[in-house]
Amino acid sequence: MHQAVRGMRDILPADTWRWSHLERKLFQRLTGASYSEIRLPLMEFTELFARGVGEATDIVEKEMYTLSDRDGLSISLRPEGTASCVRALEEHGLLYNKTCRTFYSGPMFRYEKPQKGRYRQFYQMGVEAFGFGGPDIEAELVLLITRYFEEIGLNQYLKLEINTLGSHEDRGRYREALVSYLTPFYRELDEDSQRRLLTNPLRILDSKVEKIRDIVSNAPKLIEFVGAHAREHFERFQELLFEMNLSFELNDRLVRGLDYYTNTVFEWVTEELGSQGAVCAGGRYDGLVEQLGGKSTPAVGLAMGLDRIVLLHEKFQGDTGRPSLDIYICILDESKMDRAFFLREVLSDRLPTITIRVHMGGGNLKKQLKRADASGAGWAILHGAEESDEKQLVLKDLRGEKGQMLVSVDELIGTICSA
Ligand code: HAM
């Protein structure tokens, strides 16, 4: 038998409801706040990610699925959505002197070591806002996402951490100071950190290795290099969060693994998923549009790992949100199959949100009722039963005390709605 590629999973029919439920809830919330969806290609020129995400990041250095197409062009499966989003909006002239609030959802690809909560094909829901330079938009994003986590019953398992990286220049100065501090420890660093010292030293700050954490604990602090303007911005952001009663913690080790961030960065983390604790992350990236060839445009955004949200929802919310099967239509007279289908259409038109399954495969009433019971449906209609006709249907209560009754379509709808 064939198997799925390592790190790439099937999401089976019995499980997809959770994914769409969690996606739908976020989409509704974002749409309600005037964000519009953007749909982006799964592949882009490799160059876009190299320039956008950063040559020295783990993602670009070792995690991309890159291939050369039949014209010899290097293209990659997208490892994230922000660079594509900027590319698309810029390509269509939607950023120049305009603001834009948008969101997307879909698979991303990174060649990482698969484990629970970490996959090679994973799913992100991303939100990006362009043209807003102030901390108000950051506060809006935090508010929307916090309310979303509350709505899906996960907020109590998540903690919001925030930090500021300062301006591009602040970060540059800090980088130099950090390298001077760490260089004398070079031999004590692990291989990853030694490599990062040359390519991306800030990433050493969020190393999980105990010894590195010790070394780093005495390193110069990023905040001391952050200029007055960036500090003010960050303070106002915190004030807004306070005013809205949104809880957060400062984490001065939070630096993010992608190169495009400046100023505010944030991450929602959980202790419930082992080592894959980051559930939603993002920040401001005022330099990216220009970096990719556009006019300087302030921007901020985030992406949440849907796979991880699904794991948490499964763990703490069980079947909450699972759509139920409402009615099972048993077929007692196969010559009236067409009427059974029409009946379903009539009922679906009147009650668009209910789910109705028409029995197939024959069998006596006992067998069909067994199926109806196993299906989880609350009600059965015994279509074609002797006592029924065009106007009167036999409805059977499969879960409650109501038993079997002869009802008109109107009465049937009334009964089901009031149950
Ligand atoms: P990121 O931190 O690389 O940021 O990814 C965001 C989230 O995607 C992570 O917090 C995690 O939940 C999920 N994620 C990442 N890699 C995996 C994986 N291999 N398996 C499962 N889940 C994963 C970004 O991608 C930025 N584009 C976020 C952003 C948008 N910043 C500004 N706008």
Side-chain angles (χ1 to χ4, degrees):
M1 273 304 287
H2 294 287
Q3 285 190 336
V5 173
R6 191 162 127 82
M8 305 199 177
R9 300 166 306 148
D10 304 303
I11 300 158
L12 299 171
D15 303 319
T16 45
W17 66 268
R18 196 185 303 279
W19 294 72
S20 9
H21 168 73
L22 294 169
E23 243 179 359
R24 198 169 44 243
K25 291 281 177 204
L26 183 68
F27 289 2
Q28 280 168 353
R29 193 165 286 279
L30 291 169
T31 313
S34 86
Y35 288 70
S36 312
E37 187 183 0
I38 184 166
R39 299 194 183 200
L40 300 159
L42 295 192
M43 302 191 96
E44 299 275 359
F45 290 119
T46 306
E47 179 65 16
L48 175 73
F49 301 117
R51 285 193 69 81
V53 176
E55 296 274 10
T57 57
D58 283 353
I59 296 180
V60 171
E61 254 181 13
K62 51 186 188 189
E63 292 172 0
M64 285 213 293
Y65 284 87
T66 296
L67 60 95
S68 169
D69 77 2
R70 284 169 198 272
D71 301 319
L73 300 168
S74 177
I75 52 179
S76 296
L77 281 169
R78 60 181 188 187
E80 60 107 50
T82 310
S84 306
C85 192
V86 170
R87 195 268 310 138
L89 295 176
E90 189 55 36
E91 186 172 336
H92 296 278
L94 296 174
L95 289 181
Y96 185 60
N97 276 348
K98 296 185 184 81
T99 60
C100 175
R101 289 168 156 102
T102 185
F103 66 89
Y104 51 85
S105 179
M108 307 289 161
F109 304 84
R110 295 183 194 173
Y111 190 81
E112 291 192 81
K113 206 164 175 211
Q115 63 179 82
K116 189 177 173 196
R118 186 163 74 197
Y119 311 99
R120 289 180 174 171
Q121 175 173 335
F122 62 100
Y123 296 79
Q124 275 186 351
M125 301 194 285
V127 191
E128 317 284 356
F130 298 90
F132 306 97
D136 44 2
I137 189 76
E138 295 158 23
E140 171 170 282
L141 286 177
V142 169
L143 177 64
L144 286 165
I145 299 304
T146 305
R147 292 288 183 258
Y148 168 68
F149 287 144
E150 284 168 3
E151 182 182 5
I152 61 173
L154 297 184
N155 201 43
Q156 64 266 46
Y157 309 106
L158 296 167
K159 187 172 74 179
L160 169 63
E161 297 184 343
I162 64 172
N163 193 19
T164 181
L165 303 179
S167 66
H168 192 67
E169 295 71 37
D170 297 341
R171 214 167 102 163
R173 284 188 299 121
Y174 178 63
R175 187 188 151 113
E176 274 173 31
L178 187 64
V179 171
S180 318
Y181 168 81
L182 287 172
T183 304
F185 295 100
Y186 186 80
R187 283 171 188 282
E188 292 170 56
L189 298 178
D190 62 332
E191 210 181 300
D192 246 2
S193 302
Q194 286 182 342
R195 189 171 46 83
R196 283 177 173 158
L197 188 62
L198 302 172
T199 57
N200 202 354
L202 263 67
R203 285 311 306 277
I204 301 175
L205 295 181
D206 69 357
S207 167
K208 305 273 183 300
V209 181
E210 199 60 43
K211 191 166 164 215
I212 307 295
R213 290 183 85 103
D214 281 349
I215 296 176
V216 157
S217 64
N218 291 319
K221 294 275 176 275
L222 177 55
I223 190 72
E224 286 156 17
F225 290 75
V226 171
H229 187 67
R231 267 180 204 239
E232 240 170 67
H233 181 106
F234 192 49
E235 271 156 26
R236 179 65 189 137
F237 172 53
Q238 293 177 63
E239 260 168 38
L240 280 165
L241 299 186
F242 266 126
E243 283 160 13
M244 292 190 290
N245 228 347
L246 300 168
S247 50
F248 62 89
E249 270 178 31
L250 293 175
N251 175 0
D252 61 6
R253 289 167 185 263
L254 180 61
V255 291
R256 310 280 301 121
L258 302 91
D259 270 359
Y260 47 63
Y261 294 107
T262 48
N263 289 306
T264 315
V265 287
F266 39 80
E267 210 162 277
W268 276 264
V269 293
T270 180
E271 288 179 355
E272 304 292 342
L273 292 178
S275 57
Q276 303 310 306
V279 166
C280 177
R284 182 164 279 287
Y285 51 96
D286 291 345
L288 184 61
V289 176
E290 200 173 0
Q291 167 99 5
L292 294 178
K295 275 235 153 61
S296 169
T297 306
V300 58
L302 54 86
M304 56 179 92
L306 184 52
D307 309 68
R308 296 182 188 176
I309 291 171
V310 162
L311 284 171
L312 285 177
H313 190 265
E314 210 171 346
K315 183 166 174 185
F316 295 109
Q317 290 297 321
D319 279 349
T320 315
R322 180 198 282 275
S324 56
L325 181 63
D326 300 296
I327 303 176
Y328 194 100
I329 304 185
C330 298
I331 305 296
L332 303 191
D333 180 351
E334 295 229 17
S335 71
K336 292 184 180 150
M337 195 68 188
D338 56 336
R339 314 256 176 83
F341 285 132
F342 289 147
L343 173 64
R344 178 176 53 194
E345 287 183 336
V346 169
L347 294 175
S348 295
D349 284 347
R350 299 271 303 269
L351 295 173
T353 55
I354 66 170
T355 315
I356 310 168
R357 180 178 295 170
V358 177
H359 175 83
M360 291 190 194
N364 60 24
L365 178 60
K366 195 169 162 212
K367 175 186 155 190
Q368 294 195 31
L369 282 173
K370 230 175 156 178
R371 285 266 191 93
D373 190 45
S375 75
W379 303 89
I381 293 173
L382 311 189
H383 192 264
E386 264 175 25
E387 59 271 49
S388 64
D389 57 28
E390 291 295 302
K391 302 229 158 60
Q392 297 285 299
L393 302 162
V394 177
L395 178 68
K396 188 174 166 60
D397 184 357
L398 296 175
R399 312 284 155 198
E401 311 275 288
K402 292 208 168 69
Q404 197 162 306
M405 55 203 111
L406 203 57
V407 288
S408 66
V409 167
D410 283 340
E411 286 164 344
L412 183 146
I413 287 171
T415 310
I416 288 176
C417 289
S418 64

